[in-house]
Amino acid sequence: MTAFDYRQEQLCAEHVPLSQIAEQYGTPCFVYSRAALTAAYQAYRAALGERKALICYAVKANSSLAILNLFARLGAGFDIVSGGELARVIAAGGDPAKVLFSGVGKTRAELRTALQVGIHCFNVESASELASLNQIAGELGVTAPISIRVNPDVDPKTHPYIATGLKSSKFGVPFEQALPLYRQAQALPHLAIRGIDCHIGSELLDPAPAAQAAQKILGLADTLAAEGMPLAHLDLGGGMGIRSRDEAMPSIAEYLAPTLALLEGRKETLMLEPGRSLVGNAGLLLTRIEVLKHSAEKNFAVVDAAMNDLLRPALYSAWHDILPVRRNTGAERIYEIVGPICESGDFLGHDRSLSLREGDLLAVMSAGAYGMAMSSNYNSRPRAAEVMVDQGTTHLVRQREEVAQLFALETILP
Ligand code: LLP
């Protein structure tokens, strides 16, 4: 579904003109559509059909309480990677019994808290974590539910920073070590083996690597069952990409189809951990042009959003469409869309053909995932406001930070 489209030359979010949102809440500002978030979740549900499955939203993609609450209301579980994310899920009304805890370096304090609140399963990523978890569970007098995150060594064909399932990756346990580790887990008194887990990377557009990984994981699950370790669930991770320009893209159903075909007839509950594909195209970053600068070499549009608000272009050379909020009929020029931060890497888009004036609003699209979640206060810039549109009503779901809040925790020497 397209939550953001033009009406009378004005870009709108669920029919609300973005110019009105900028007027009311200021810029830079993230704008989310409740309808688009819901539609993405429902597309997963529909694709899964009657199969026993839990969609565990990967909180890292966007940990806004409003978004977590929305997914909790829809019945989602959550995939977390820190105690902070667990606290957010609980604060947003999420059910800890539907939480999966992934992450390669969980602290003992995080393991303890997660055991105390009774999460669904720990995705264990090392022998050391397995031992710590057994020990802490023993101290607390509880049993820790576990999966082992297995690294299937499948190339997801994505940006190297977000490929996670290769032999060389820091994540998970190498495929050959998984079986011995499961045997070890079976012998430990305070652990209960519940499932198996893998996640091979992010921004995947081709369904083949995910199915290839699933196949390896299913083989291992069968070996475990034969050894007396039947699994209750299979966690196949997240990773499906989104359309960020005009690339050919499978739908969620088409992406999942080859994997679901492999699961035909199996009894285990399927767990998925999608992040980007649930929120990415349900959000945009609204920004205003402060300055236009022209030289012989380049035209620059300096906007009030920057790499601290949306790091993805700088970090991964990621493409985000940049649309004018009001369509202009003037002549187009090729622009560099840049922020005010003192780094040449501070850009939101290169070589964009647009007709611009100072004061115009721009929408940086596909910014719902890994936008606000990766934002920072670099250059002492307050974080942007966040607004959720719901059937024509706008809700401020996070206030714009104030500069004084940025140094409120600091002190000077006596
Ligand atoms: N599960 C695990 C264990 C993960 O590590 C991740 C993402 C996900 C699920 C969700 O993946 P998704 O469905 O969103 O692709 N900052 C990068 C993306 C990093 C992804 C890290 N792991 C970006 O902006 O592209």
Side-chain angles (χ1 to χ4, degrees), residues 23 60 98 104 109-110 155 239 292 370 409:
E23 200 61 47
K60 64 168 78 70
K98 291 185 180 173
V104 69
E110 287 174 327
D155 183 357
L292 292 181
Y370 306 108
L409 302 178

Side-chain angles (χ1 to χ4, degrees), residues 44 56 58 60-61 79 81 102-103 123 125 149 161-162 164 171 197-199 201-204 237-241 273-277 312 315-316 318 369-371 374:
Y44 267 96
C56 294
K60 64 168 78 70
D79 170 58
V81 290
S102 304
N123 288 336
E125 304 211 16
R149 176 166 174 185
Y161 287 8
I162 51 179
T164 50
F171 298 100
D197 168 47
C198 77
H199 171 80
S202 195
E203 220 169 10
L204 316 185
M240 183 185 164
E273 304 171 354
R276 189 190 322 267
S277 49
R312 305 192 69 257
L315 190 57
Y316 315 111
Y370 306 108
M374 293 174 76

